[in-house]
Amino acid sequence: MNRLVSLAHLTALSLAPPELIRLAAETGYDAVGLRLIGVTPDTAFYPLHLDRPMFRETRRALSDTGLKLLDIEFLRLESNTNPSAFAAALESGAELGATQALLAAYDPEECRLSDNVAAIAEIARPLGISVNLEFYPWTVVANLADAVQVIDKSGAENAGVLVDALHLARSGTSLEELALQPASRFRYLHLCDAEADHPGSLEGLLKAARAERLPPGEGGLDLEGFLRVMPGDIPVALEVPMQARSALEGELAIARDCRNATGNLFNRLSSSGD
């Protein structure tokens, strides 16, 4: 199974972009994703569009290693969002070679949300970037059907849906629903593993998603089924934050273990004929 494998920034968010890129190259990845825009007040992000020295270091690291920049994140769409505020981050991402940008919906007004998706997609289109709306069980776009509805309403040709294996399992979306979608809906996916059982609370959902996932194959999610119904040629981004293990073993060990576990998963799929 020949797929581009990217290291999502959340897996090693304490590392600045140049460090993340060099670690990803050392541990066998083809690409990285970079968090250029903050998600919460207490989580790290790296605004390369405001930090030209770090931008140049990041560009040098990509050139030295030959890795690609797959995506930039995290474009959070709220009721007061001004799409043009994301233009500088998108331009910086495009300058570094990014082809994807990740969106998250926190605006309960669907028409405004869809309009903002369309506006951001229009900014991203001449930059060669597609925008991807990710669904999260704790937000207003809680499942695949919600995300598809927003994207379709936006009418943007360069807009799709990002499916994360963990959020898919927690959202109640079935693999059958996923399989009914056209392949063009998806540009890349997020892969990780987790305990099969739902955490049972919002606090548990957030902790698992943001801090304590598992390498592919070490949990109870149906990752083989997930990969079988997704397009076989789209990149796989490993988003596997494991804060407790990272504190004990270091980011390099985590990145290497996740990459090796993913290779083993791909081998199992290949041997079964997929």
Side-chain angles (χ1 to χ4, degrees), residues 51-137:
D51 187 341
R52 293 308 292 183
M54 185 175 286
F55 177 92
R56 289 191 291 271
E57 289 180 34
T58 301
R59 183 167 55 190
R60 186 178 305 113
L62 289 169
S63 176
D64 290 347
T65 61
L67 263 63
K68 298 178 180 179
L69 174 57
L70 174 63
D71 68 305
I72 62 167
E73 55 179 53
F74 185 96
L75 282 64
R76 183 178 173 121
L77 307 184
E78 301 179 283
S79 58
N80 62 347
T81 289
N82 176 4
S84 64
F86 296 123
L90 289 166
E91 289 165 2
S92 289
E95 194 174 347
L96 293 171
T99 59
Q100 310 297 328
L102 185 60
L103 312 180
Y106 287 84
D107 184 349
E109 174 51 57
E110 185 178 290
C111 288
R112 181 174 56 215
L113 177 60
S114 296
D115 287 347
N116 280 335
V117 170
I120 294 169
E122 185 60 23
I123 295 169
R125 184 178 54 80
L127 300 173
I129 291 178
S130 295
V131 299
N132 303 267
L133 183 63
E134 186 172 9
F135 57 88
Y136 305 88

Side-chain angles (χ1 to χ4, degrees), residues 259-272:
R259 181 64 185 90
N260 290 341
T262 301
N264 292 336
L265 174 61
F266 290 171
N267 289 338
R268 290 196 298 274
L269 282 169
S270 296
S271 64
S272 66

